[in-house]
Amino acid sequence: MPRSQSKTASHRRRKRVLKQAKGYWGARSKVLTVAKHHVEKGLQYAYRDRKTKKRTFRQLWIARINAAARLNETTYSRLMDNLSKKEVGINRKILADLAANNPPAFAEVVKFALAP
């Protein structure tokens, strides 16, 4: 019985890994065994950092809102507390954008939130 070879499948698999490793430095993009490890690790980092990105952006938005709130004589926590009490549905992303790009509009939001 003739020996079975999986030449096309293994060749396709090697090509796929080396294509994913394109742009890596040295043997990481040339040698299959090395490339396989680095591609797999890169995919792990990508998966992890898709989650981390959300945290990082939220931290950035909070820092921007806090800085702009302090310019308007309040703090981030007081501002967010008053906005939630008045049931204002502006999220942190939009508030941070207002704080950075449209300070007068942000000042109006703060004034509304702190009004008795």
Side-chain angles (χ1 to χ4, degrees):
M1 185 172 196
R3 188 169 67 94
S4 146
Q5 294 177 327
S6 60
K7 184 177 179 182
T8 53
S10 59
H11 183 69
R12 194 172 293 136
R13 192 166 44 248
R14 286 188 189 100
K15 270 183 75 166
R16 186 177 65 234
V17 170
L18 290 174
K19 185 178 177 186
Q20 286 178 309
K22 192 175 178 183
Y24 288 6
W25 189 82
R28 293 175 183 197
S29 66
K30 307 280 189 285
V31 180
L32 179 69
T33 53
V34 179
K36 206 185 315 181
H37 296 302
H38 287 91
V39 164
E40 193 171 316
K41 192 67 174 175
L43 292 171
Q44 287 174 359
Y45 285 138
Y47 177 80
R48 180 197 69 190
D49 292 340
R50 278 196 297 277
K51 314 289 177 242
T52 309
K53 187 168 118 178
K54 295 163 183 59
R55 268 181 264 157
T56 310
F57 269 102
R58 187 180 170 98
Q59 286 175 345
L60 176 67
W61 297 332
I62 290 172
R64 286 180 178 172
I65 294 167
N66 193 22
R70 288 177 186 275
L71 290 174
N72 288 290
E73 284 112 32
T74 187
T75 63
Y76 169 79
S77 61
R78 285 193 195 112
L79 175 63
M80 295 309 284
D81 181 48
N82 286 326
L83 285 174
S84 66
K85 283 178 184 172
K86 295 201 174 187
E87 297 179 1
V88 176
I90 302 176
N91 63 16
R92 286 166 183 81
K93 180 180 177 180
I94 301 302
L95 276 174
D97 187 54
L98 279 177
N101 299 323
N102 197 349
F106 184 81
E108 287 297 316
V109 171
V110 171
K111 198 182 295 181
F112 172 77
L114 299 178

